[in-house]
Amino acid sequence: MAGKQIQFYYKNVLADVIGPEHGITAQQLDELAKQTTPLIPKIKDEILTGNSRYGLLPGDPQIAKSVKALVKHFKPKCENLVVLGIGGSALGNIALQNALNPFTYNLDNNKRKGPRLFVFDNIDPAHFGSFMDFITPRLGKTVFNVISKSGQTAETASQFMIVQKMLETRFGKEKLKDRVVATTDLEKGTLRKIATDAGLHTLVVPDGVGGRFSVLSAVGLFSAAMTGINIDQLLAGAADMHTRVTNPDFFKNPAAINAAIQIHYYNRNKRISVMMPYSSALYSFADWYRQLWAESLGKKYFLDGGEAYVGPTPVKALGATDQHSQVQLYREGPNDKIFTLLEIQDFGRKIRIPAPPKCARELNYLAKKDMGELLNAEKKATEFALCESNRPCVTVLFPKIDAYTVGQFIFLFEATTSFAGALLDVNTYDQPAVELGKQATFALMGKAGQYTPDRSYADFAAEIRAKTEFDANFVI
Ligand code: PA5
């Protein structure tokens, strides 16, 4: 049976609330509806075809089936699960874990419904080395899930080479398959070659689904299922939202209206999009959103090839924490932001605040109140304060945080991104600007051969060094 639905609330962007200079008038809203409504059937098709087939994921029973088969195989002997991946191959895993498992999941054996989970999405040697010190004596009960569609990503490849060597030295080459799951392209790529060579168990990064849209594939689902997250509910929530974001009525379609509002403000010089969950559990979803929004919408070209240089800048903040860090700027700094606040109705936990000591009667207003009530009062208070300063805000309201509502949230923001890309008239699904840095890294790390037909990696490396080495004239 379907669970409760998340809701999208947008009154606080209206001119009636925040004034005509910064608010959206009734006429402008009608114009947004006119402009965006024709995109609804387009996006409905787009997310099922081509390079953007993430819309197929919630309805594909094979994905959950293959994930569950490997969970059954690996979970009984696994005390620690280590995900090696970066960007779209890590941020969703982290977000799901933090949203749906308790804060103390890794620390408290009584709270764990599966192995401890560690996600490594960086190559800081001090950080990784410290973890290696911890995990080396525990390798017997540790499974590594290396996730890379290409297998060429330097960060993931280097981590995996270290882990592979360590496991082979300890257990023997033929035992690697007992401790590693590779999630990669079905047929091609470096990691597929390695997996085939070593006979590893594999899961598939589906064709036509970019990393940042892949959390509802085996990329995100394996670590989620291993740690006891209900992936069927996650997918059911996403499927529920799929129906809502394909509704042809603009005013009933939360992704269409959300994107229309965001891009309306982008076009009026509010180019910063802040996501501020009033929930520590959802904070990592603001990180996931940053990648989704930045890589999808930050583009040099329009679809017709004309120069664009467009893209809102996504920023993450945490309520109530950042009220004591950012809100001064948000209210009195430039009015160049649109705020997406996440509000939770039922935190699933009540913590009563006791009466203050007699010497501190000024704290009486907190006595006997629930901590969640305080957090939600702070959300309303900040929303009110932002509106008083004519700052536009929308809210995504969660009845509670569970796999079903989180699945809805994921699909809502994936579809919002598709609508926003269409409104900006850019290719939402590529990320060409990431490539130069990747190639430059290859060159600096001594890759052999040609970077381009007329330029070797060695020559390219010399050029990079000439431009980036510290010039002593400017060092103080
Ligand atoms: O969204 C994306 O496409 C990227 O963030 C990739 O996921 C990231 O670069 C990792 O790539 P790969 O999975 O090939 O290692």
Side-chain angles (χ1 to χ4, degrees), residues 13-25 28 264-265 268-270 335 389-392:
V13 300
L14 299 182
D16 288 349
V17 180
I18 58 170
E21 194 187 340
H22 298 283
I24 299 176
T25 62
Q28 284 173 328
H264 168 88
Y265 280 118
R268 280 161 184 77
N269 283 324
K270 296 194 199 316
N335 195 341
S389 302
N390 314 112
R391 315 284 152 138

Side-chain angles (χ1 to χ4, degrees), residues 86-89 147-151 153 211-212 291 295 431 438:
I86 197 164
S89 297
I147 308 176
S148 179
K149 187 168 172 72
S150 61
T153 306
R212 57 190 176 274
Q291 186 205 8
E295 281 195 341
Q431 58 283 327
K438 281 190 185 176

